[in-house]
Each structure stands twice: as C-alpha cells, then as structure tokens.
Amino acid sequence: MASIGRDTTISWLGHGTFHITTPEGKNLLIDSWVETNPACPDGWKQRVRNEGLDAIFITHGHFDHIADLLSLATLTDAKIVCMFDLVSWLTAQGVGEERIVGFNKGGTVEVAGVRATMTKAEHSSTYNDNGTLVSLGEAVGYVLRMSNGFTIYHTGDTAVTYDMLIVGDLYQPDLTILPIGDHFTMDPRQAAYALKLIRSKYAIPGHFGTFPLLKGTPDQLRQHAQDFGVHTEVIALAPGESVA
C-alpha cells in the first residue's frame, strides 16, 4: 500500500464515511454514519466515541451520511461544517448555532486548522424526518487544505462533472476521495474519467460494497483509469484501514 508521507492519516470507516487526522492531530469526520453503519468496524465506533472529533463535514442529507450526526454532536464538541441550508434544521434538532459552520459552494472557511472550500456535487439531499421528506439543501464536496499544503478533494456523492477539471486547475489536490459504487453515484468508469479531470496523484474509492446494489470495485476503477491513460495511484482501503 502507498505511503503518502504528508503527516495526514486518512481512514475509511465504510460506505461514504472517512476519518482524517491532520498534521496537528485534529480529528475530522466526513459524513457521520458510524454507529449504524454496517461496514464500520466496532473498533472505530469505540475510537470515535473515546477520542472525540474536532469537526464533522457533511456532504448531503441522506440517512447514510447523517444518520449519526445528532448523536455525535451530543457526544463530541465537534464543529458541524455543512451547506448553509442545513443550519436551521440542525438548530431545530438542538445543535447550538455557535457550533455550526454553514456556508455555500465556492466559499472557504477555516475549521480545526484546515482551510475548507465547498465544491459542487451532482446528487440530491433529502432526509426522511418521521415520514416527512425534508429538503436539506444541495449535495456538495470539499477541498481540504492542511497546514502543510497537503490537499484532499472529497467529491461527495456525485456523478462525474466537468467542474472537476476546475477543481483540479484551482487546487491541484494531492488526493481525491470519490464514490465508485454505481446506482446512486458514479460507477468505476465515470470515476476514472473524474480522475482524468482532477489529476491528483492518489485516489481512495468509497461508497461501494456496503449493499448489493453498490457493485463497483477498486480493480474496475484501476482498469478504467488505465484505459483513459490516467496515472493516479488508486489506494484501495478495506473498512477500518488507514493510509498515511
């Protein structure tokens, strides 16, 4: 497995949930499906509870991305970073407004020592609130720039879009985290084309294998990347594994 060597540890907790430890030792969570995530190892569930979180980044409002958001907001002192449209819903659920960092696509905020820019994603964002389907703004991705310059682009749940070329041009991410499962997001061929646009040195696939519908695999991503002449190194993690 590749060693990135930038004092940043990226761990896949299964499905679309990723944990990042920054060069300063801050703990970030991208999408909060941990306790009820069937792919998340028990050790990680315990670790998140015990070690706490400094920030939780939310890409969109589907249950498999925010199911444990409110419980983790109670258990930790994490800042909640999200699309501005989620702020009123979160405060209505009892999350203190002072803990919420709500902004919008194109904007940049600094949270836990990380400069985070919100990017476009092509997906939906709704939540089933006791039988009522609630709109929670739009789906997004994030460009996360560590203090040492190491840059991660998490695309969020999305189809491939030409906007990814702009992200590659503007931010030149070192690492891309992107879905490959198909059905609800990009399949491996679309994801490989996305990497052609982004041009990052490394990529970590996610949002696959949790359910039978999510059939894409890292090997398929590698094959399609080769077909497109993409030289990005695909780092395939199993749920619970990390790369640093």
Side-chain angles (χ1 to χ4, degrees), residues 87-137:
V87 174
S88 59
W89 182 81
L90 286 168
T91 56
Q93 310 306 311
V95 180
E97 192 167 355
E98 72 283 354
R99 295 181 56 193
I100 306 171
V101 182
F103 64 128
N104 217 312
K105 289 175 285 187
T108 299
V109 298
E110 185 165 333
V111 180
V114 174
R115 284 177 54 79
T117 300
M118 188 177 286
T119 63
K120 181 178 180 179
E122 286 295 335
H123 198 64
S124 57
S125 180
T126 54
Y127 184 72
N128 189 331
D129 194 352
N130 294 318
T132 300
L133 200 62
V134 179
S135 174
L136 292 182

Side-chain angles (χ1 to χ4, degrees), residues 23-54:
E24 292 75 34
K26 300 294 186 181
N27 292 318
L28 317 179
L29 192 71
I30 303 178
D31 287 338
S32 47
W33 197 29
V34 180
E35 289 291 338
T36 55
N37 182 347
C40 183
D42 289 340
W44 264 104
K45 296 176 183 181
Q46 189 69 34
R47 180 173 171 179
V48 169
R49 287 194 297 265
N50 291 344
E51 294 186 4
L53 297 166
D54 296 287

Side-chain angles (χ1 to χ4, degrees), residues 192-207:
Y193 193 83
L195 293 177
K196 179 180 179 179
L197 298 176
I198 299 162
R199 291 155 285 149
S200 57
K201 183 175 182 180
Y202 304 105
I204 299 177
H207 210 284

Side-chain angles (χ1 to χ4, degrees), residues 2-15:
S3 174
I4 296 172
R6 296 298 300 274
D7 297 323
T8 303
T9 302
I10 302 97
S11 306
W12 186 34
L13 274 56
H15 199 61

Side-chain angles (χ1 to χ4, degrees):
M1 185 178 294
S3 174
I4 296 172
R6 296 298 300 274
D7 297 323
T8 303
T9 302
I10 302 97
S11 306
W12 186 34
L13 274 56
H15 199 61
T17 301
F18 285 82
H19 183 282
I20 298 171
T21 304
T22 72
E24 292 75 34
K26 300 294 186 181
N27 292 318
L28 317 179
L29 192 71
I30 303 178
D31 287 338
S32 47
W33 197 29
V34 180
E35 289 291 338
T36 55
N37 182 347
C40 183
D42 289 340
W44 264 104
K45 296 176 183 181
Q46 189 69 34
R47 180 173 171 179
V48 169
R49 287 194 297 265
N50 291 344
E51 294 186 4
L53 297 166
D54 296 287
I56 301 172
F57 290 82
I58 301 301
T59 64
H60 65 291
H62 288 156
F63 82 94
D64 54 336
H65 294 260
I66 67 165
D68 298 311
L69 175 58
L70 298 178
S71 62
L72 287 174
T74 301
L75 285 170
T76 73
D77 295 323
K79 293 284 189 180
I80 311 299
V81 186
C82 61
M83 162 67 76
F84 180 76
D85 302 64
L86 271 77
V87 174
S88 59
W89 182 81
L90 286 168
T91 56
Q93 310 306 311
V95 180
E97 192 167 355
E98 72 283 354
R99 295 181 56 193
I100 306 171
V101 182
F103 64 128
N104 217 312
K105 289 175 285 187
T108 299
V109 298
E110 185 165 333
V111 180
V114 174
R115 284 177 54 79
T117 300
M118 188 177 286
T119 63
K120 181 178 180 179
E122 286 295 335
H123 198 64
S124 57
S125 180
T126 54
Y127 184 72
N128 189 331
D129 194 352
N130 294 318
T132 300
L133 200 62
V134 179
S135 174
L136 292 182
E138 298 182 30
V140 301
Y142 295 97
V143 173
L144 305 175
R145 285 166 282 177
M146 306 297 142
S147 61
N148 61 2
F150 182 64
T151 300
I152 299 171
Y153 172 31
H154 188 297
T155 69
D157 279 15
T158 189
V160 63
T161 79
Y162 214 55
D163 297 87
M164 293 169 174
L165 179 64
I166 299 174
V167 173
D169 284 344
L170 284 176
Y171 305 108
Q172 299 174 7
D174 300 284
L175 168 69
T176 301
I177 298 173
L178 76 175
I180 64 166
D182 200 2
H183 199 87
F184 296 110
T185 69
M186 295 186 285
D187 62 15
R189 187 166 185 264
Q190 292 177 62
Y193 193 83
L195 293 177
K196 179 180 179 179
L197 298 176
I198 299 162
R199 291 155 285 149
S200 57
K201 183 175 182 180
Y202 304 105
I204 299 177
H207 210 284
F208 70 93
T210 321
F211 310 110
L213 278 174
L214 308 183
K215 297 178 180 178
T217 68
D219 283 342
Q220 291 171 338
L221 176 62
R222 290 189 181 101
Q223 182 58 59
H224 288 300
Q226 184 176 340
D227 294 342
F228 286 129
V230 175
H231 301 294
T232 300
E233 182 175 354
V234 174
I235 302 171
L237 301 176
E241 287 187 342
S242 306
V243 65

